[in-house]
Amino acid sequence: MADVRDREAVDGALRGVDAVCHQAAMVGLGKDFADAPQYVGCNDLGTAVLLAAAASAGVRNLVLAGSMVVYGEGRYDCRRHGAVRPGPRAEADLAAGRFEPLCPSCGTELTPGLVGEDAPVDPRNVYATTKLAQEHLASSWARATGGRALSLRYHNVYGPGMPRDTPYAGVASFFRSSLARGESPRVFEDGAQRRDFVHVRDVAAANAVALEAVAGYEPGRFAAYNTGSGEPHTIGEMAAALASAHGGPAPEVTGEYRLGDVRHVTADSRRLREELGWMPAVGFAEGMAEFAAAPLRETSSVVTA
């Protein structure tokens, strides 16, 4: 185990390696903007160090742990204007409990849908910005070295081994940690935010097929694939499923909010299924029941590869 920003350690790790599966990153939304230097240092500097070392070592195949956060809000449709892209939600609306984004043209309610890989990117927080920068770095590396790079844009990954009690973990880890302490999961906003929860074993399987696929790319190619279960659920549904499987206590919907959070983002993962032959195997109910009883790991401040 070593810090991915440590060039000497990375050089050693790449000896005899044909392909890299790059998972090292600082994750989650963080606490406030004061975390920005740490996010950029871990995610973007760390990726740059890794790619520079790979270039020197002659490694030419890369699979990157990307994220659906690069899209910002997901796809929305207006009855009058078709597909639209609402801007960031105003703090005044969030404070008043108006959580749903409205049509930027007519102000009417929108219907959330699935976002595809060709949608414009619009990162809404520092973490999202660093994940997009990782993709840009990987693409530049592929062109400059004749390498091949593939980004799996993960949805909300959950499962055994998630970190406990850290502000940088995902929402599933927050809820699971609360239940382990005998506390109710605290659900922000009204709990109706739509996400796609994908089990860690399915994500591991996606990485395995991606490593095989990227080796067959033309030199200089970069591609991105949404990686989700294809079964959207709300945050409230996830909290309720976890609490029920754990034996309580029931979730508490608080109405709290975080600036930088998006309302709905669920992406279409058909391209990964059709082009790479990957299929998720762990259903929502099964996965949440397992995760409710699974141990969590202690956290570490070291960014590792």
Side-chain angles (χ1 to χ4, degrees), residues 73 76 86-102 187-193 253-258 261-264:
E73 289 283 355
Y76 292 87
R89 296 178 294 170
E91 185 169 11
D93 287 335
L94 297 174
R98 296 187 294 268
F99 302 122
E100 293 289 345
L102 302 176
V187 179
F188 280 17
E189 301 187 18
D190 58 1
Q193 309 95 303
V253 178
T254 69
E256 297 171 272
Y257 60 88
R258 298 188 305 179
D261 272 344
V262 297
R263 180 60 174 175
H264 305 296

Side-chain angles (χ1 to χ4, degrees), residues 217-270:
Y217 280 6
E218 290 293 323
R221 182 183 174 193
F222 170 84
Y225 291 87
N226 292 330
T227 308
S229 71
E231 188 181 347
H233 289 273
T234 68
I235 298 289
E237 288 171 342
M238 188 268 284
L242 266 183
S244 176
H246 191 270
E252 176 187 357
V253 178
T254 69
E256 297 171 272
Y257 60 88
R258 298 188 305 179
L259 288 176
D261 272 344
V262 297
R263 180 60 174 175
H264 305 296
V265 57
T266 54
D268 188 343
S269 299
R270 285 181 297 175

